[in-house]
Amino acid sequence: MALAQPAGRTYAAAVADLRRGWEQRTLWGHLGWQDIRQRYRRSVLGPVWITISMAVTAVALGILYSGLFDVPLERLLPHVLVGFIVWAFISGCITEGSEVFIANEGLIKHLPAPLSVHVYRLVWRQALFFAHNLIVYLVMLLVFPQPLKWTVVYAVPAFFLLALNGAWVALAVGIITARFRDILPITQSVVQLAFFLTPIVWIYDELINSPNPAIAERARLAEFNPFLHFLEIIRRPLLGQDQQLRYWVVVLAITVVGWLFTMLVMRRYRSRVSYWV
């Protein structure tokens, strides 16, 4: 005879947590907005600093790597700028997601709310940052016009997939980090390394089409970098470039596998998080 699952350690309980967390979007929506206001409290420009810091960093690196790679600034800067905007969202979901439950220890222990509320709050906050950074993208279009086409609308479902993956990463890594605190510095180091391995400040197509076959062969190894695919499904439409089906296939596959893994983690360990933090 099969043994009954302990209360709270079933897939139904995990799904219910996600559903109840979504139903409380008024709560996490308000908390996410307050996070941004609190971060820039007493600042004259407030959240505008998000846009300024992004613009300064992207322009500086664009000018630097334009000279290093001998690529025209009007080609490299838009590539770097959009890459930075997307990467800020990805890295924010991963690094902040790894400590999402640790940082909300007080709320978890004293507020009877689903765990997913804290993850929704995190993803919503990163989405607000993303929206602020899009101001830099709009300014860039005025300075360096791009051949935008109707395919720019693909950026919407691409961002939805980005947010969907940010949620499962924050849930899974957040639960694991609550139990094993050494995961936190490891995650931060991996994200820093991934920045240089992902075509953000360098152009992938330029390297794979290099006349040097050794460079082109090594550049193709970037296909094994999952961040490349997430980056390209949203950067290409925003720059008016043609879509590549393989990027979407890889992202959809990662989304399905990632959520299956996360549901397994939630089923087994969701009820223990309040004891670990």
Side-chain angles (χ1 to χ4, degrees), residues 63-258:
I63 294 174
L64 172 63
Y65 284 95
S66 173
L68 290 177
F69 295 144
D70 193 26
V71 177
L73 183 63
E74 60 272 17
R75 171 166 166 73
L76 185 62
L77 184 57
H79 179 90
V80 172
L81 182 62
V82 177
F84 252 96
I85 293 174
V86 179
W87 181 255
F89 181 86
I90 295 175
S91 61
C93 287
I94 298 174
T95 55
E96 293 189 25
S98 62
E99 56 180 344
V100 63
F101 300 127
I102 299 173
N104 290 286
E105 173 186 357
L107 289 176
I108 291 174
K109 289 183 175 180
H110 299 99
L111 179 66
L115 280 182
S116 57
V117 163
H118 308 290
V119 172
Y120 290 138
R121 172 186 179 182
L122 165 64
V123 176
W124 169 241
R125 182 170 66 246
Q126 293 301 322
L128 292 175
F129 284 139
F130 183 87
H132 273 91
N133 291 332
L134 282 181
I135 298 175
V136 184
Y137 166 74
L138 296 176
V139 173
M140 181 274 296
L141 289 179
L142 296 177
V143 180
F144 299 110
Q146 300 299 303
L148 298 181
K149 297 177 285 188
W150 69 267
T151 52
V152 70
V153 299
Y154 280 119
V156 176
F159 181 75
F160 173 76
L161 282 175
L162 224 60
L164 202 59
N165 281 270
W168 78 253
V169 168
L171 268 170
V173 179
I175 291 175
I176 296 172
T177 304
R179 175 63 180 86
F180 303 102
R181 300 302 173 92
D182 291 334
I183 299 297
L184 179 57
I186 293 175
T187 301
Q188 294 172 342
S189 298
V190 169
V191 170
Q192 290 178 355
L193 177 62
F195 172 82
F196 296 102
L197 297 178
T198 305
I200 298 171
V201 296
W202 49 277
I203 301 178
Y204 175 60
D205 291 340
E206 292 278 345
L207 295 184
I208 62 174
N209 295 320
S210 172
N212 187 329
I215 294 178
E217 184 178 354
R218 287 195 294 268
R220 291 188 182 279
L221 294 175
E223 291 284 345
F224 295 98
N225 180 355
F227 296 115
L228 163 69
H229 306 279
F230 284 97
L231 198 64
E232 289 301 309
I233 64 171
I234 190 169
R235 178 164 59 188
R236 296 184 76 88
L238 289 179
L239 294 180
Q241 300 172 352
D242 294 332
Q243 290 291 307
Q244 299 290 336
L245 179 61
R246 70 181 188 278
Y247 295 139
W248 289 87
V249 171
V250 172
V251 168
L252 288 172
I254 292 175
T255 304
V256 173
V257 174

Side-chain angles (χ1 to χ4, degrees), residues 3-61:
L3 296 177
Q5 289 285 348
R9 295 187 60 184
T10 64
Y11 287 112
V15 172
D17 187 293
L18 294 173
R19 185 184 67 252
R20 287 187 292 111
W22 179 255
E23 291 172 352
Q24 297 184 30
R25 48 189 175 273
T26 302
L27 171 63
W28 52 259
H30 175 73
L31 291 175
W33 181 247
Q34 287 300 316
D35 288 340
I36 295 181
R37 295 186 61 183
Q38 185 66 26
R39 181 175 300 188
Y40 296 96
R41 186 182 180 186
R42 300 185 186 279
S43 170
V44 176
L45 297 180
V48 176
W49 279 114
I50 303 172
T51 305
I52 294 176
S53 60
M54 172 63 64
V56 170
T57 304
V59 170
L61 288 179

